[in-house]
Amino acid sequence: MKKLKHSKYKNTGLLFEILVRKLTSETLSSDKTITVDIIKKYFGKNTELSKELQLYNALLKEHQFKSEAQALDYIRSIKTTHSKLNQSILKRQKYNLVKEISEKFVFENMAKIHISNYKTLASVSMLFEYDETDNPKQIMECKNAIIHNTLIAERKKEYKDPIIEQFESQPKDVRLITYKLLVDKFNEKYSILDESQKQLLNKYITNVNDTVALREYIEKIIPAIKKQLAEQSKLITDKATKIKVKKLSEMLCTVENMKSIKESHVLSLLRYFDLIKELKGVH
């Protein structure tokens, strides 16, 4: 009995989610993007990939079946429908999609984009790719993962902050005034940031999912910060201050030492920009 393996290259649902998250980060950062063209080309109407994606969504959507038996019947029905797709065309379209992603981007980096329901997508992919006879135990585990994550999972009562509920209950004009006050307050709070700090915050906010793009950006600015600190250090006459600035520059960690980019890293870099601004103000 063979051990079944999940392949990111064959997982249509995962490939689509990666492209959507890539597109979101590009749109928010106002970069020109070709991602939307790839999505239209491969997931447009009547492509085999779009048909398979619909079957992924059919299993990922919460249906709330009353029993496992009903859920298993539903899974069998979806599996039967999937077997009726043109498998040769589907395989070719999937190959071309991965090939084009690899040509336009670095696929390994794209594959690192965080997908919250990765395990469920992997289960659906393996369910479509393999038959019961390949490994009954693993296929049953895939079915159980789908069932308990989407098909008969108990709906959790959605928590709403009392302040948000109160805000939503207000008349439209009151909500508009409140929103304007919040925006003004935000702008007032961050108006003191210089362009370097604003750009860092923008990159952090717009690349929450695309961690690779964020790492690449931070990888570029760390040497720039060190260079500016070195330049300002030459102008410092006080020996004690000079030593402190040198130490701070040495403490600036590299991207290689960061397992993941956290908010604390971004705040630290913002403070370094503040330090550079103060040093420039003195000199």
Side-chain angles (χ1 to χ4, degrees):
M1 191 180 297
K2 64 179 179 180
K3 182 175 173 58
L4 311 185
K5 293 183 179 180
H6 168 246
S7 171
K8 293 180 180 180
Y9 298 94
K10 297 178 182 179
N11 192 327
T12 298
L14 182 64
L15 292 170
F16 181 77
E17 287 295 324
I18 287 171
L19 285 169
V20 169
R21 279 161 174 73
K22 179 71 174 171
L23 177 62
T24 303
S25 65
E26 288 174 341
T27 304
L28 289 170
S29 58
S30 302
D31 292 335
K32 291 182 179 180
T33 177
I34 54 164
T35 311
V36 67
D37 295 327
I38 295 176
I39 292 173
K40 285 180 179 178
K41 180 178 177 180
Y42 292 97
F43 294 99
K45 194 176 179 181
N46 294 328
T47 65
E48 290 302 298
L49 279 174
S50 70
K51 294 173 186 176
E52 185 179 44
L53 183 63
Q54 287 176 16
L55 295 177
Y56 268 85
N57 291 334
L59 289 175
L60 293 170
K61 185 180 177 182
E62 289 189 3
H63 291 277
Q64 298 301 296
F65 287 106
K66 293 179 180 179
S67 68
E68 274 196 31
Q70 286 182 329
L72 285 168
D73 280 340
Y74 180 71
I75 289 174
R76 276 193 288 271
S77 174
I78 296 295
K79 171 77 173 174
T80 301
T81 305
H82 184 272
S83 66
K84 293 176 182 177
L85 295 177
N86 190 317
Q87 299 300 320
S88 61
I89 293 177
L90 181 63
K91 187 177 180 180
R92 185 167 66 251
Q93 288 180 356
K94 209 172 292 189
Y95 172 82
N96 290 334
L97 170 61
V98 173
K99 184 172 179 284
E100 189 157 345
I101 291 174
S102 300
E103 287 172 353
K104 307 296 183 185
F105 313 103
V106 179
F107 187 85
E108 287 71 21
N109 290 345
M110 290 274 284
K112 291 176 184 175
I113 293 176
H114 176 68
I115 307 296
S116 59
N117 61 340
Y118 176 86
K119 288 184 178 179
T120 311
L121 282 167
S123 296
V124 175
S125 177
M126 289 171 69
L127 180 72
F128 286 160
E129 185 179 354
Y130 299 105
D131 293 320
E132 297 269 1
T133 53
D134 293 325
N135 191 317
K137 183 176 180 292
Q138 268 190 275
I139 293 296
M140 181 53 69
E141 286 172 354
C142 290
K143 288 180 179 179
N144 284 335
I146 297 165
I147 288 170
H148 295 293
N149 279 311
T150 60
L151 301 184
I152 60 171
E154 291 182 8
R155 288 185 183 274
K156 293 180 181 178
K157 188 178 179 181
E158 187 181 354
Y159 171 77
K160 270 202 173 184
D161 192 300
I163 297 173
I164 299 296
E165 285 188 327
Q166 188 178 358
F167 171 76
E168 290 177 345
S169 67
Q170 298 299 316
K172 186 178 179 181
D173 55 343
V174 175
R175 281 186 279 128
L176 287 171
I177 293 169
T178 307
Y179 177 74
K180 187 178 184 304
L181 287 171
L182 285 170
V183 172
D184 290 344
K185 196 73 179 173
F186 179 87
N187 290 334
E188 181 186 336
K189 183 177 180 180
Y190 292 104
S191 61
I192 58 171
L193 297 179
D194 61 24
E195 283 306 310
S196 298
Q197 290 172 313
K198 287 177 182 177
Q199 192 173 5
L200 173 59
L201 272 179
N202 178 58
K203 288 287 182 182
Y204 178 61
I205 293 166
T206 58
N207 289 291
V208 172
N209 289 316
D210 193 353
T211 53
V212 175
L214 183 60
R215 287 179 74 89
E216 286 175 353
Y217 174 73
I218 291 177
E219 198 168 31
K220 289 178 183 177
I221 66 171
I222 287 177
I225 292 173
K226 287 188 173 184
K227 185 181 177 183
Q228 289 186 69
L229 286 174
E231 289 172 354
Q232 292 302 314
S233 182
K234 292 175 183 177
L235 304 173
I236 298 171
T237 54
D238 183 70
K239 191 175 180 180
T241 306
K242 200 180 191 81
I243 292 170
K244 286 178 183 178
V245 171
K246 186 182 177 182
K247 279 287 182 186
L248 283 169
S249 181
E250 290 171 355
M251 287 169 62
L252 190 57
C253 61
T254 60
V255 174
E256 287 75 20
N257 295 330
M258 302 177 188
K259 290 182 179 179
S260 61
I261 308 297
K262 299 177 181 177
E263 186 179 335
S264 57
H265 294 132
V266 176
L267 289 172
S268 177
L269 291 172
L270 288 172
R271 293 189 185 104
Y272 272 99
F273 281 126
D274 269 334
L275 174 61
I276 292 168
K277 196 162 43 176
E278 286 182 26
L279 291 172
K280 284 181 177 178
V282 173
H283 306 107

